[in-house]
């Protein structure tokens, strides 16, 4: 029950025992931005790829304040890219010991919705991605009943390019 | 130069040589949804965690059509969660050979913006996350000059909880 109330959030305050008040922490989140951390110094190359492959637009970038003697260019602390109405961040991994999200069994796929799956896959492959699943119609994990093709980018990230399921329904109707 | 034009997208058609026309594939993406693939059958548990930790709301879920004889519950093909104005997908990894995004050097961090970093970190830890970086002010990769604390969830995903940089600027002004 306590978990239910944490889950629901909302503006209600409990009037019950003092212990339960602790459980009701209300936090409002205003943005979610996935950050892709790539092996340094490949972030700049990755940003060019995301522009060429998916038409991402760069909103800005912050450079790493420390540059090592053997680096020709400063590393990228964070570049903000606008893609499909979302913001993603691309960063150089300055310290290899800090590599995030390597636990066994958990992985990431980016689902990208478009009305033109074939052109999107072709464009991504033209920019350097590799097809990992040919385009097929079916029950895609992220898109419902839909056309979906999967590509892996040069940085190891899998992109599932799919049509919104409503569009398939319209075509079939 | 050809890459520049692919990058820019836009509605202009090239009037130059025929070869270059091939490069101008215009694709419009309507949504980007990160999918977290967790070791089966932990997706349901992960969904409960994201609700408790971050107040995520479940928009719907699709179950895997095939259930193996030794499974008590059907696996989750995809659950759609609303979080901070974005949609994320959580799925069971039915086939361990299909684990995505394991390449060396690339990792993922989710940046979550909130005005109340301390409460957000406390709530996430209360739900089962572990602190990986204590809250500090500084140049966070995803948030500019900001307060940021990092937690790792039970599924190996790192969440950087940070305040929008404008808020810090207001406080300092």
């Amino acid at each position: 029950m306590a978990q239910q109330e944490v889950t629901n959030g909302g503006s209600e305050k409990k009037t019950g025992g003092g212990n339960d008040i602790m459980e009701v922490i209300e936090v409002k989140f205003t943005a979610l931005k996935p950050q892709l951390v790539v092996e340094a110094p490949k972030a700049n190359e990755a940003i060019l790829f995301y522009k060429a492959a998916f038409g991402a637009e760069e909103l800005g970038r912050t450079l790493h304040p420390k540059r090592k003697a053997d680096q020709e260019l400063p590393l990228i602390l964070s570049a903000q890219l606008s893609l499909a109405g979302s913001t993603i961040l691309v960063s150089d991994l300055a310290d290899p010991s800090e590599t995030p999200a390597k636990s066994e069994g958990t992985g990431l796929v980016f689902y990208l919705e478009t009305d033109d799956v074939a052109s999107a896959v072709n464009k991504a492959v033209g920019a350097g991605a590799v097809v990992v699943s040919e385009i097929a119609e079916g029950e895609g994990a992220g898109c419902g009943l839909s056309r979906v093709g999967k590509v892996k980018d040069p940085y190891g990230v899998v992109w599932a390019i799919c049509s919104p399921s409503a569009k398939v329904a319209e075509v079939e109707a």
Side-chain angles (χ1 to χ4, degrees), chain A:
Chain A
M1 172 156 174
Q3 189 175 356
Q4 274 288 330
E5 295 191 9
V6 172
T7 300
N8 291 340
S11 60
E12 292 167 37
K13 288 286 179 190
K14 293 193 68 174
T15 54
N19 285 344
D20 286 347
I21 293 288
M22 288 295 291
E23 308 261 358
V24 185
I25 304 174
E26 289 168 25
V27 178
K28 183 171 165 55
F29 292 103
T30 49
L32 172 68
K33 296 175 185 172
Q35 177 195 33
L36 294 173
V37 183
V38 304
E39 189 188 348
K42 293 186 180 169
N44 188 61
E45 182 189 308
I47 292 160
L48 292 174
F49 172 82
Y50 294 127
K51 290 178 178 177
F54 304 129
E57 288 180 32
E58 184 171 340
L59 305 175
R61 68 170 69 184
T62 311
L63 299 177
H64 205 285
K66 296 176 203 157
R67 188 197 300 199
K68 291 176 187 165
D70 59 348
Q71 286 169 5
E72 286 189 27
L73 295 171
L75 298 183
I76 295 174
L77 188 62
S78 178
Q80 298 175 45
L81 303 184
S82 173
L83 174 54
S86 292
T87 300
I88 67 169
L89 309 169
V90 180
S91 302
D92 276 315
L93 179 67
D95 179 354
S97 71
E98 291 184 356
T99 309
K102 285 291 170 202
S103 78
E104 281 306 308
T106 302
L108 168 76
V109 174
F110 279 115
Y111 274 78
L112 259 182
E113 292 185 3
T114 178
D115 289 344
D116 190 350
V117 174
S119 293
V121 169
N122 284 343
K123 187 170 172 178
V125 168
V130 174
V131 171
V132 292
S133 298
E134 296 288 343
I135 297 170
E137 297 207 2
E139 187 75 24
C143 311
L145 184 63
S146 158
R147 280 165 63 79
V148 61
K150 290 186 184 176
V151 299
K152 183 181 277 196
D153 73 27
Y155 313 96
V157 179
V158 174
W159 298 78
I161 296 171
C162 63
S163 54
S165 49
K167 294 285 174 184
V168 173
E170 279 171 24
V171 170
E172 288 176 341

